[in-house]
Amino acid sequence: MKIGVIGSGIMGNGIAQTFAMAGYDVILSDLNEEAITRAREVIAVNIERVLKKHDSMQSGNEILQRIQFTTEKNALADTDLIVEAIIENMEMKKAIFKELDEICAQKTIFASNTSSYSITEIAAATTRPDRVCGMHFFNPVPVMKLVEVIRGESTSDETIAFVQQLATQIGKESITVTDAPLFVVNRILVPMISEAIFVLDEGIATAEDIDKGMVLGTNQPIGPLKLADMIGLDTLLYVQETLLNETGDSKYRISQSLKKLVRAGHYGRKTGQGFYCYS
């Protein structure tokens, strides 16, 4: 079985690595040679890091050789499954799926790793909406066990079953979700993080004490404000805006302090400043 992955960012690289480490042949596609070269280097390092932690008969080079790095979408024509993992931009996603629909064999199933967009709308850009679903991995992909398998309006039972089985074969556990804004995990998680920001805004407690309270009081591995910084405040704001726009529900209101931090370019860990300072 041959797996295609489009997009060599953090998620795409992790998805390609996970399939390769499970024994699958993978074609990782991106727009330019620089991105693909960087992806090869990053994945090689990450594979070795995993192998050091776990006894394995495989070598890093053996795993890496299962991944074909390319800028040519035509290389994906004969794949069994393609997972799209580009940036969250609906028009770009639909354009890619439309192009893949023309290139790929009819057997090919299309999956999107989107964390928020409608699978039904994405599938409508193709002539095979029954063979399109969501396959939402969590970061870091090689570590996190969950995959949300999202059923669009026209997704067939056969497609869902195929993707569920594939998730199991790569060592993941899946939950099946009906197409809805943010699906399940983010639909629950994002409002919790948002409420923590409002608690901070209202001066009820410091960021440190909010996070300490949630870690020690609810047994979470990381507090919501540190988690927000890890996710990226720009990403968090985008996801919150999507949820608010899609539902029109005022309970998903957005903190002004989050907007101000993003406008100032303070996105969290990746910029060195968010709710915490990372020097």
Side-chain angles (χ1 to χ4, degrees), residues 194 197-198 201 237 240 253-260:
S194 179
I197 298 171
F198 278 112
D201 289 349
L237 177 59
Q240 283 198 243
R253 70 200 191 286
I254 301 168
S255 163
Q256 287 298 316
S257 66
L258 175 61
K259 293 180 181 179
K260 287 178 182 178

Side-chain angles (χ1 to χ4, degrees), residues 11-229:
M11 296 303 292
N13 289 348
I15 294 166
Q17 175 187 331
T18 299
F19 275 107
M21 294 192 75
Y24 290 93
D25 292 326
V26 179
I27 301 173
L28 178 59
S29 171
D30 209 315
L31 293 175
N32 59 69
E33 289 291 346
E34 182 181 349
I36 285 297
T37 299
R38 186 168 58 249
R40 185 193 298 272
E41 295 168 352
V42 168
I43 292 173
V45 170
N46 289 341
I47 288 172
E48 291 299 337
R49 184 180 293 124
V50 172
L51 293 178
K52 284 181 180 179
K53 291 182 179 179
H54 306 282
D55 292 331
S56 175
M57 300 299 291
Q58 300 184 88
S59 70
N61 189 55
E62 177 186 353
I63 296 168
L64 195 62
Q65 285 182 346
R66 295 195 193 110
I67 306 176
Q68 176 185 340
F69 297 86
T70 183
T71 58
E72 298 295 329
K73 289 194 183 74
N74 286 333
L76 301 165
D78 195 41
T79 51
D80 297 280
L81 170 77
I82 296 176
V83 182
E84 167 270 312
I86 68 166
I87 61 172
E88 291 289 78
N89 181 298
M90 176 59 88
E91 294 310 311
M92 289 177 64
K93 289 180 188 291
K94 289 195 292 187
I96 283 176
F97 275 85
K98 185 176 186 299
E99 184 178 1
L100 290 173
D101 191 44
E102 297 169 354
I103 293 171
C104 293
Q106 196 57 39
K107 69 173 183 177
T108 308
I109 290 174
F110 298 157
S112 176
N113 181 59
T114 181
S115 61
S116 57
Y117 281 140
S118 167
I119 298 302
T120 302
E121 183 174 349
I122 292 172
T126 76
T127 61
R128 62 183 89 189
D130 59 314
R131 300 179 71 77
V132 180
C133 69
M135 196 174 188
H136 180 217
F137 291 83
F138 291 80
N139 187 37
V141 177
V143 175
M144 300 296 281
K145 295 289 288 184
L146 182 66
V147 176
E148 288 181 318
V149 179
I150 301 105
R151 181 193 294 273
E153 184 67 25
S154 302
T155 309
S156 69
D157 292 341
E158 291 78 13
T159 296
I160 295 295
F162 175 87
V163 173
Q164 287 173 328
Q165 183 178 23
L166 196 56
T168 300
Q169 290 170 349
I170 61 173
K172 304 298 184 187
E173 294 194 29
S174 64
I175 61 173
T176 307
V177 183
T178 301
D179 195 14
L182 300 196
F183 314 131
V184 169
V185 174
N186 285 338
R187 177 74 173 265
I188 297 168
L189 179 65
V190 168
M192 183 197 74
I193 295 174
S194 179
E195 197 60 33
I197 298 171
F198 278 112
V199 169
L200 179 66
D201 289 349
E202 293 168 20
I204 296 171
T206 64
E208 290 81 2
D209 278 352
I210 291 168
D211 281 344
K212 182 178 179 180
M214 293 303 291
V215 169
L216 300 181
T218 65
N219 209 29
Q220 296 185 39
I222 185 172
L225 299 176
K226 283 187 178 178
L227 179 57
D229 279 352

